[in-house]
């Protein structure tokens, strides 16, 4: 078996921490190099190598790839939807240039595999709201969504033209308890747990009836690993796979939380994130991922809420 050396870029973020720990379990601690612009997350400390690095510095990134004998890159550094709307040029610049840097180096150094996540944010107001299919009208209205859609086509281009084995998932909003979320529109579904425990109440920045596609982090990590471990001949989508876990509204998650904290209450004060949420589908059809590499989620809303409270 070929020995893999994996570089995770953006390892101190919401997904990065859990993905790095999962990859270290599979490939051995020393073979998974965590890297980020910010300091090493506490949960990563002592579990394996860490490199402080700006993914925008292509020379430094290239040097690290050579020095560390890297064979696979997981690129997680990005600016998410809500933060992106505050600084569109910065979001475009980071989200695009980081990907192009990684794809170029993958080509030059003949890396075995690259992972880069897309998002349900590629879809826009003209996409189907319910059961949104893999291939449909895609006209994103946020800079984050535009960058993800363009990124998907760069992945496809590097695969078609240079044979890079780059794989991608369109994650829904991810819910987790280990590391904090990084500035997305779906972050309310994490904040709500923390304030429910601390204050027994939550003021939601989305309307009560705002349904969005969501997923519990253990499912997202497993989906990522299953996609990356799948035989290349089964991967028919080289832009990015639709991926579905669950779909709920703030009112529904609040009702589920009330089962655990009976005097919990929620109020609503929609802000600039409401139009972002309104532009996205409410549920996703991921038939192609299920057919190609056998995807199936474990967690529905009730089990996710139960598990969050067990762990928080
Ligand atoms: P996050 O913001 O929590 O983490 C991103 C990490 O990248 C941070 O630790 C940040 O310090 C780091 N970073 C930023 N700029 C960098 C730079 N120049 N060089 C090196 N590192 C840098 O984000 P996340 O939620 O973990 O998301 C990871 C990826 O998954 C992103 O591409 C995001 O678009 C995608 N995604 C996330 C979700 C979600 O709900 N979390 C949903 C869909 C897609
Ligand atoms: C966000 O809300 O920006 C992210 C995403 C769905 O991509 N969670």
């Amino acid at each position: 078996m070929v020995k893999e050396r994996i570089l995770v870029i953006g390892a101190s973020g919401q997904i990065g921490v859990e993905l790095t720990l999962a990859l270290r379990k599979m490939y051995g601690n020393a073979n998974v190099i965590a890297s980020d612009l910010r300091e090493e997350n506490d949960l990563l400390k002592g579990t394996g190598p860490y490199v402080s690095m700006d993914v925008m510095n292509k020379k430094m990134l290239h040097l690290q790839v050579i020095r560390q004998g890297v064979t696979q890159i997981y690129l997680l550094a990005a600016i998410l939807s809500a933060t992106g709307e505050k600084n569109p040029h910065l979001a475009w610049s980071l989200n695009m240039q980081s990907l192009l840097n990684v794809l170029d180096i993958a080509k030059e150094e003949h890396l075995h595999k690259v992972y880069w996540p897309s998002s349900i944010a590629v879809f826009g107001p003209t996409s189907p709201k319910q059961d949104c299919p893999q291939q449909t009208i895609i006209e994103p209205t946020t800079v984050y969504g535009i960058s993800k859609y363009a990124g998907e086509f760069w992945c496809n281009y590097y695969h078609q033209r240079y044979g890079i084995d780059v794989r991608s998932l369109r994650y829904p909003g991810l819910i987790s308890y280990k590391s904090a979320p990084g500035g997305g529109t779906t972050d309310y579904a994490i904040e709500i747990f923390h304030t429910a425990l601390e204050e027994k109440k939550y003021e939601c920045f989305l309307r009560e009836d705002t349904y969005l596609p969501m997923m519990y982090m253990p499912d997202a990590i497993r989906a990522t690993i299953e996609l990356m471990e799948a035989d290349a001949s089964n991967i028919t989508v080289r832009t990015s796979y639709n991926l579905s876990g669950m779909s709920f509204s703030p009112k529904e998650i609040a009702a589920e939380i009330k089962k655990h904290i009976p005097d919990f209450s929620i109020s609503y004060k929609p802000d600039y994130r409401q139009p972002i949420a309104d532009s996205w589908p409410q549920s996703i059809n991921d038939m192609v991922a299920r057919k190609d590499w056998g995807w199936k989620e474990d967690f529905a809303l009730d089990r996710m809420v139960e598990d969050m409270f067990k762990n928080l």
Side-chain angles (χ1 to χ4, degrees):
M1 201 171 122
V2 189
K3 192 174 170 210
E4 300 290 349
R5 295 272 298 164
I6 298 174
L7 176 64
V8 182
I9 302 170
S12 286
Q14 192 199 355
I15 302 174
V17 170
E18 300 205 33
L19 191 55
T20 302
L21 292 173
L23 290 169
R24 283 184 173 159
K25 244 189 208 154
M26 288 175 64
Y27 289 94
N29 288 352
N31 293 319
V32 180
I33 303 124
S35 78
D36 204 293
L37 193 59
R38 58 172 146 154
E39 70 279 9
E40 185 178 19
N41 185 288
D42 283 346
L43 293 174
L44 294 180
K45 282 183 182 155
T47 69
Y50 177 80
V51 177
S52 174
M53 192 177 57
D54 183 352
V55 68
M56 299 295 268
N57 186 337
K58 191 175 178 185
K59 262 194 187 155
M60 189 58 79
L61 174 60
H62 201 160
L63 204 72
Q64 283 296 343
V65 167
I66 294 169
R67 193 179 281 163
Q68 306 270 2
V70 168
T71 60
Q72 298 187 22
I73 294 182
Y74 285 66
L75 170 58
L76 304 173
I79 290 179
L80 278 75
S81 60
T83 311
E85 291 311 293
K86 291 184 182 155
N87 199 336
H89 286 271
L90 186 67
W92 175 257
S93 162
L94 174 66
N95 295 2
M96 285 293 89
Q97 200 54 52
S98 59
L99 178 60
L100 291 173
N101 287 352
V102 166
L103 291 174
D104 272 347
I105 291 168
K107 178 178 127 216
E108 279 176 49
E109 299 306 326
H110 307 288
L111 297 194
H112 301 161
K113 282 178 202 168
V114 172
Y115 179 74
W116 172 83
S118 182
S119 162
I120 54 146
V122 293
F123 298 112
T126 49
S127 306
K129 281 280 166 225
Q130 305 299 339
D131 209 29
C132 187
Q134 178 72 42
Q135 282 174 317
T136 183
I137 298 170
I138 301 189
E139 297 177 329
T141 49
T142 62
V143 67
Y144 175 65
I146 299 170
S147 73
K148 287 296 182 190
Y149 199 39
E152 290 187 2
F153 281 89
W154 276 115
C155 290
N156 192 53
Y157 181 85
Y158 271 71
H159 174 70
Q160 300 287 342
R161 175 129 193 224
Y162 306 115
I164 308 292
D165 189 352
V166 49
R167 306 181 184 193
S168 178
L169 295 172
R170 289 173 179 158
Y171 290 133
L174 301 181
I175 299 155
S176 66
Y177 56 86
K178 286 194 181 156
S179 45
T185 304
T186 58
D187 291 5
Y188 90 85
I190 302 170
E191 284 174 17
I192 195 170
F193 285 96
H194 293 276
T195 51
L197 283 170
E198 283 156 23
E199 301 168 29
K200 296 195 178 353
K201 60 179 186 194
Y202 178 62
E203 185 179 88
C204 185
F205 57 75
L206 297 181
R207 269 193 331 263
E208 63 174 17
D209 59 348
T210 311
Y211 280 86
L212 285 171
M214 300 279 192
M215 180 174 278
Y216 196 32
M217 190 62 89
D219 272 345
I221 300 296
R222 187 169 55 78
T224 309
I225 287 169
E226 285 178 6
L227 170 73
M228 291 302 277
E229 293 293 307
D231 198 287
S233 60
N234 291 338
I235 308 295
T236 64
V237 176
R238 290 294 181 165
T239 49
S240 189
Y241 278 99
N242 273 13
L243 186 71
S244 171
M246 61 187 95
S247 180
F248 58 79
S249 64
K251 192 177 171 184
E252 283 182 356
I253 192 173
E256 205 56 47
I257 286 174
K258 248 175 125 40
K259 290 182 187 164
H260 299 259
I261 304 178
D263 49 349
F264 171 70
S265 69
I266 184 165
S267 56
Y268 302 93
K269 196 177 175 195
D271 66 13
Y272 69 99
R273 289 166 281 196
Q274 185 66 51
I276 302 178
D278 288 341
S279 77
W280 294 344
Q282 299 184 344
S283 63
I284 298 288
N285 182 309
D286 61 358
M287 208 175 71
V288 186
R290 286 169 199 265
K291 185 174 132 284
D292 282 5
W293 43 276
W295 167 244
K296 191 171 180 343
E297 76 285 355
D298 269 349
F299 285 88
L301 176 61
D302 52 351
R303 272 198 62 217
M304 180 272 285
V305 171
E306 200 182 306
D307 201 66
M308 283 290 283
F309 279 122
K310 216 184 277 168
N311 285 288
L312 272 171

